Amino acid sequence: MAHIQLIDELVREYLLFRGFTTAVKAFDNDLKSDKDKGFRVDKIVEQIIHYINVSDLGGLKEYWSHLDSLIFSKLEIHVQPAVRKIEYSLYKLYLVTASQNAGSVRNDKVAEFLSKMLPELQGQSEWRDWFMLPYVQKPEENPSFSLYFTRTWQDSVLVSLHNLLATVFQCMPQPTLTSYENDAALVKRLQDEIATLKGKSQQSTEKTSPIGHQSRLAQYSERLTGPLPLVDDFSAIPSEQFEGGIREARGLRGLLRQMGGSPFMGRKPGRSQSQN
């Protein structure tokens, strides 16, 4: 949830734009005392480590109580044992760190922890040996505590805490304002996919449908819309036959003229000679 910081800046910018100076001051104060650290896992783990290193039992319990009420208590019931195990591991890390601190104050902090946590822990078998910790001279060499003084175990506790917080923050529901960027990106991606599918569908339709063929025929018809040459019925007659027909016609006309000079063709109708 790294984008939470960006949302905080946008909210503050909007409040300034609207002139809500009182709201801006209250908003800044809340950010300074923000226990959630903007839901940054590394900052939360760092804050818990700080309480452990300075042996601040009250601060550790209060901070864990805040996280428990905010997120852990809302998890499914089968996850609660894992959350409780990490909490108790942090308490053991608190005791180990207090025991390793130099000076006589270490026994005081260990005794203080066991005294305040007695009502909560005394009935649990895993804590029975821990009540003897203030009286053990070298707990790091004691079989009951040696594991907890190793760097491997201490790092595993912090890694488990980090993974738990990261998983919970990733799965927890978010307000609309924090998810607008993801929603906008999703809508844009879906729009691009729809546009791509429409383009492919249109190309496929033009290739297979009668409309596509008609569009191509229309392109060819545009080339034929110009003026066409006049064509008569004789255009199919070969030129040789056509010239031969002309010669025959000329010979026929000459023959007719010769016949016009004959006694039969040149005489006009009239009375006979006997009548003369």
Side-chain angles (χ1 to χ4, degrees):
M1 301 178 68
H3 59 287
I4 292 295
Q5 289 75 34
L6 175 60
I7 301 299
D8 291 341
E9 295 177 2
L10 294 178
V11 170
R12 191 177 189 279
E13 181 182 5
Y14 174 77
L15 294 176
L16 288 173
F17 173 76
R18 294 297 306 275
F20 299 153
T21 56
T22 303
V24 171
K25 293 180 180 179
F27 185 69
D28 290 339
N29 292 331
D30 288 339
L31 287 178
K32 292 179 181 179
S33 60
D34 180 23
K35 294 183 178 180
D36 303 327
K37 306 299 182 181
F39 294 97
R40 293 182 59 180
V41 176
D42 56 337
K43 293 296 183 180
I44 295 177
V45 174
E46 181 180 336
Q47 183 63 55
I48 291 177
I49 293 175
H50 170 74
Y51 289 134
I52 292 176
N53 289 336
V54 300
S55 297
D56 186 356
L57 179 60
L60 177 60
K61 286 183 61 64
E62 181 183 357
Y63 195 65
W64 187 265
S65 177
H66 169 75
L67 295 177
D68 189 38
S69 62
L70 177 66
I71 53 176
F72 298 148
S73 61
K74 301 176 183 178
L75 299 177
E76 297 180 1
I77 189 171
H78 69 274
V79 185
Q80 297 300 329
V83 176
R84 192 62 59 197
K85 183 177 181 180
I86 293 179
E87 179 186 4
Y88 287 163
S89 296
L90 291 174
Y91 291 154
K92 293 176 182 178
L93 181 60
Y94 177 95
L95 289 173
V96 169
T97 304
S99 300
Q100 290 176 330
N101 287 338
S104 60
V105 69
R106 64 177 185 176
N107 290 332
D108 294 339
K109 291 298 182 180
V110 172
E112 177 189 14
F113 176 89
L114 296 175
S115 174
K116 291 183 177 180
M117 299 294 293
L118 179 61
E120 181 179 347
L121 303 177
Q122 66 178 350
Q124 302 182 31
S125 58
E126 65 174 298
W127 284 94
R128 186 178 299 116
D129 294 338
W130 288 91
F131 286 95
M132 299 186 300
L133 182 63
Y135 311 102
V136 177
Q137 293 296 325
K138 294 182 179 180
E140 64 276 7
E141 298 179 2
N142 189 287
S144 300
F145 306 109
S146 59
L147 173 64
Y148 305 101
F149 282 83
T150 61
R151 189 65 180 177
T152 302
W153 180 85
Q154 296 174 14
D155 290 342
S156 66
V157 172
L158 298 179
V159 170
S160 298
L161 174 63
H162 187 283
N163 293 340
L164 173 65
L165 294 172
T167 303
V168 170
F169 290 160
Q170 185 177 6
C171 298
M172 67 184 302
Q174 302 182 25
T176 304
L177 186 61
T178 60
S179 59
Y180 83 96
E181 187 174 358
N182 294 333
D183 293 342
L186 176 61
V187 171
K188 179 64 169 59
R189 185 171 68 255
L190 293 176
Q191 289 176 345
D192 293 341
E193 291 179 359
I194 292 174
T196 302
L197 292 175
K198 284 184 177 179
K200 292 181 179 180
S201 176
Q202 184 176 1
Q203 293 177 359
S204 176
T205 303
E206 291 179 354
K207 292 180 180 180
T208 58
S209 66
I211 298 178
H213 294 294
Q214 292 178 4
S215 62
R216 289 193 294 273
L217 290 175
Q219 295 176 0
Y220 290 117
S221 66
E222 292 178 356
R223 303 177 184 178
L224 303 178
T225 54
L228 296 177
L230 295 177
V231 180
D232 55 25
D233 293 338
F234 299 99
S235 62
I237 300 177
S239 58
E240 296 180 355
Q241 296 181 7
F242 183 73
E243 293 176 358
I246 293 176
R247 288 195 297 270
E248 292 179 359
R250 288 176 180 175
L252 180 60
R253 286 196 296 271
L255 178 62
L256 292 176
R257 282 195 299 270
Q258 294 176 3
M259 293 176 64
S262 65
F264 297 100
M265 298 297 296
R267 184 183 299 173
K268 298 180 178 179
R271 290 182 296 178
S272 62
Q273 294 178 0
S274 60
Q275 294 177 350
N276 292 335

